[in-house]
Amino acid sequence: MIRLDTISKRNGHRVIFIEASAALLRGEKIGLVGPNGAGKTTLFRLITGQEPPDEGQVLVDRGVSIGYFNQDVGEMDGRSVVAEVISGAGPVAEIGAELAELEAAMADPDRFDELDTILERFGEVQAHFESLGGYALEGRAREVLHGLGFAQSMMDGDVGRLSGGWKMRVALARILLMKPDVMLLDEPSNHLDLESLIWLETFLGGYDGALLMTSHDRAFMNRIINKVIEIDGGTLTSFSGDYEFYEEQRAQNEKQQQAQFERQQAMLAKEVAFIERFKARASHAAQVQSRIKKLDKIDRVEPPKRRQTLSFTFPPAPRSGDAVATLRGVDKRYGERVIYRGLDLLIRRQERACVLGVNGAGKSTLLKLVTGTSTPDAGTVTLGGSVKMGYFAQHAMDLLDGDRTVFESLNDAFPLAAQGSLRALAGGFGFSGDDVDKPCRVLSGGEKARLVMALMLYDPPNFLVLDEPTNHLDIATKEMLITSLQDYEGSMLFVSHDRHFLAALSNRVLEVTPEGLHRYEGGYSEYVARTGREAPGLHE
């Protein structure tokens, strides 16, 4: 359906693709992977014709429709959410708009003399609209919006009043309703809660078109894709299978390439040693020349490219008392909406409690009550003895000083720390070389999240409260964070929609429901096994 034929592309002096080739065939669901800045978004723009390649061709089969979702949703205003979604449904939406115009024309007394012509056209358009499933369009649009977490009242509200995250969902819903031949989805899992994420997995699993997508959620990728295209060093390499298989295959290929490189290096060293030893002897001149020619003709094996691996080791956190946080008889409401009534909860030392619940259930509110950023209407919240708390809030990235650089931000927070120590900290969180001199205002969402994490974890608290810490983080940073937190000896209370993160780190589950807080001993995996569902909003 789509073929990239030996494409090359530069961005200024930076080479993005060098004679790269790949194909997207009917029915394929492909995960596009590669380090940040490798060119994933550029590839989408090449396919959609927003940018031309410098060399080579992007070939799209005749008549193939393409739907492209990215993080830049553009302006949305002046109509309801459901109308905004329907407007992106392709030809059927255009025909629906013409049908509405014809209906208005039939009721217009000034156009009475045209009525026969209008009626004839109305009949043609109506038949076409019906054949395309137009009358079921609004129902389908509402079904998609419901799957992405919209309440009925939100669907009929003004799209212009939505936050950026909800507008992203509207833009995604437009593409899903359109059901094009090819979907290009750039980070569709961002801004989705767990229930919406699982619904989207099911939707894309049943989609019979071709799919090319990026995502920082490995569990999401594994459920959907059957092929991986990796961008690395300007080339495109295809792997059959899901993300887990790709990782295994890539590691195996690197191991084989390293072994070939080492064998060739040993052989070359042996040949060079022979040449050096006998080059001055006339009796060995022919052999020396023969070996020199042989070396000139050998195809050199390159060592495997080394991916930058992030690693951060916690200094030991001071030990807290056994009772880390105690909530007794806590009430909390927002206006008429009751979030908690008479809540009793004890967070114990070395507990890693993940909080689950549908959108608006009160997950972030629980974290705010524990951290003291929100006060209960009744009851008490008490932190235990020797508790030193670190809180990663969803708005934490907005508190960075945009004029300070990454290194200055770290130095401001830890003025007594050695510069080498702070540079090592920055490197562990992906800020190497000149990256430490970037002002905070130019950092991406992921970079800001990494900096906030670094600031919080350098002098480690013994009680971490994390509200969606995995938002904006790429897979490599999430893996680093998981590895680091698995060795962390303090207590944790956290919210995340990343199932890999939940399963790797939790040893207790707190499920917020309208009936109250349900507690499950054991981590997220045990919760799924016990309840038969991956999220509270899903039916068994």
Side-chain angles (χ1 to χ4, degrees), residues 406-427:
V406 169
F407 187 79
E408 286 169 345
S409 300
L410 295 172
N411 201 42
D412 291 346
F414 309 110
L416 300 179
Q419 290 222 343
S421 172
L422 293 182
R423 288 189 182 276
L425 171 67

Side-chain angles (χ1 to χ4, degrees), residues 33-328:
V33 304
N36 280 343
K40 297 188 287 291
T41 299
T42 300
L43 190 68
F44 285 135
R45 293 176 66 83
L46 289 170
I47 292 172
T48 55
Q50 291 170 272
E51 289 185 29
D54 298 334
E55 295 174 20
Q57 289 180 296
V58 178
L59 303 167
V60 180
D61 287 351
R62 188 186 300 277
V64 166
S65 58
I66 296 175
Y68 176 36
F69 168 79
N70 65 5
Q71 302 296 302
D72 182 13
V73 298
E75 287 299 312
M76 288 184 189
D77 208 354
R79 50 186 164 193
S80 70
V81 168
V82 73
E84 183 70 37
V85 171
I86 289 171
S87 73
V92 68
E94 294 165 19
I95 294 164
E98 186 182 352
L99 201 61
E101 287 170 11
L102 289 165
E103 285 174 347
M106 285 190 292
D108 186 349
D110 294 338
R111 299 186 65 180
F112 187 73
D113 55 340
E114 301 174 60
L115 191 57
D116 288 346
T117 308
I118 293 169
L119 279 169
E120 186 180 346
R121 179 60 185 160
F122 180 82
E124 292 169 2
V125 173
Q126 187 181 44
H128 193 193
F129 187 66
E130 192 170 356
S131 72
L132 291 174
Y135 287 109
L137 199 59
E138 183 173 335
R140 280 173 44 218
R142 288 183 182 275
E143 190 181 317
V144 169
L145 286 166
H146 178 70
L148 293 177
F150 285 83
Q152 288 294 334
S153 57
M154 288 178 75
M155 296 180 201
D156 295 314
D158 182 353
V159 70
R161 293 183 181 173
L162 296 179
S163 68
W166 283 102
K167 283 182 178 175
M168 290 271 191
R169 296 190 193 206
V170 173
L172 179 58
R174 271 199 313 230
I175 303 298
L176 301 182
L177 182 66
M178 178 185 171
K179 277 203 170 179
D181 300 319
V182 177
M183 277 194 213
L184 308 178
L185 304 180
D186 194 1
E187 296 295 344
S189 50
N190 277 5
H191 303 284
L192 295 185
D193 54 63
L194 192 47
E195 291 78 20
S196 301
L197 202 58
I198 293 166
W199 177 87
L200 182 57
E201 278 175 4
T202 306
F203 183 96
L204 293 176
Y207 166 63
D208 55 9
L211 172 68
L212 180 67
M213 73 168 188
T214 63
S215 175
H216 291 156
D217 188 318
R218 62 188 297 153
F220 179 69
M221 290 261 270
N222 273 328
R223 304 287 180 89
I224 297 167
I225 65 172
N226 51 31
K227 181 177 173 182
V228 169
I229 292 179
E230 178 192 59
I231 306 179
D232 197 10
T235 62
L236 296 171
T237 309
S238 296
F239 299 79
S240 293
D242 62 13
Y243 186 83
E244 296 287 346
F245 178 79
Y246 152 74
E247 278 205 321
E248 291 167 11
Q249 193 64 46
R250 192 180 194 285
Q252 190 176 326
N253 291 352
E254 280 186 0
K255 195 173 175 182
Q256 289 173 350
Q257 190 175 344
Q258 183 65 31
Q260 286 178 332
F261 173 73
E262 288 172 2
R263 280 197 300 272
Q264 189 180 71
Q265 289 300 303
M267 180 273 288
L268 292 173
K270 194 174 174 183
E271 294 294 317
V272 168
F274 179 91
I275 292 165
E276 288 299 316
R277 185 177 174 192
F278 294 110
K279 66 182 178 184
R281 296 189 192 180
S283 59
H284 286 74
Q287 286 174 284
V288 167
Q289 286 305 310
S290 171
R291 295 198 181 200
I292 288 172
K293 286 177 183 174
K294 177 183 166 186
L295 289 184
D296 287 342
K297 290 178 182 176
I298 286 175
D299 286 333
R300 301 298 166 108
V301 175
E302 295 292 326
K305 296 188 186 84
R306 293 292 176 210
R307 284 273 179 96
Q308 181 195 6
T309 53
L310 305 180
S311 62
F312 173 72
T313 306
F314 279 97
R319 181 181 168 123
S320 70
D322 287 339
V324 175
T326 308
L327 287 76
R328 286 200 177 95

